[in-house]
Amino acid sequence: MILGASLVTFIPRVLPLVVLSRIRLPEWGMRWLQHIPIAVMSALLAQELLVSDGAFSMSPDKLVAAFFAFAVAYLTKSLLATVMTGVTAMMLLRYAFAL
């Protein structure tokens, strides 16, 4: 069971790496691939910020924390600083409004 699960996890990660390392992608393909991380992150963030219990919901505390995290990300380009800012802002906002 563990070997099967390992194989199922290993193949989708290694197979594209092996195949794509042996071929040269055209310039338009490389430009297109550069947009995938941004699109995936946008989809994940939009779902977390705008959807709650399967319905559209704009939680002010999440939006404010996201604003601070985006500002730090833009200014520092540091993943650690961005995550720490977002977590700290969310913690402080929830603590402040829980009183």
Side-chain angles (χ1 to χ4, degrees), residues 7-66:
L7 191 63
V8 168
T9 301
F10 183 74
I11 289 175
R13 293 178 185 197
V14 173
L15 190 60
L17 181 65
V18 170
V19 171
L20 292 176
S21 69
R22 297 179 190 267
I23 62 173
R24 175 113 172 108
L25 292 174
E27 184 61 33
W28 63 266
M30 293 301 291
R31 283 193 316 269
W32 181 78
L33 286 173
Q34 290 176 345
H35 297 290
I36 290 177
I38 297 167
V40 169
M41 185 58 74
S42 299
L44 292 171
L45 285 173
Q47 182 178 4
E48 181 62 31
L49 293 175
L50 303 175
V51 177
S52 179
D53 296 327
F56 178 75
S57 171
M58 290 180 53
S59 173
D61 57 345
K62 288 183 182 180
L63 293 175
V64 171

Side-chain angles (χ1 to χ4, degrees), residues 50-86:
L50 303 175
V51 177
S52 179
D53 296 327
F56 178 75
S57 171
M58 290 180 53
S59 173
D61 57 345
K62 288 183 182 180
L63 293 175
V64 171
F67 173 77
F68 285 117
F70 287 138
V72 169
Y74 180 76
L75 294 172
T76 67
K77 310 286 191 266
S78 167
L79 179 61
L80 180 62
T82 302
V83 170
M84 293 303 295
T85 301

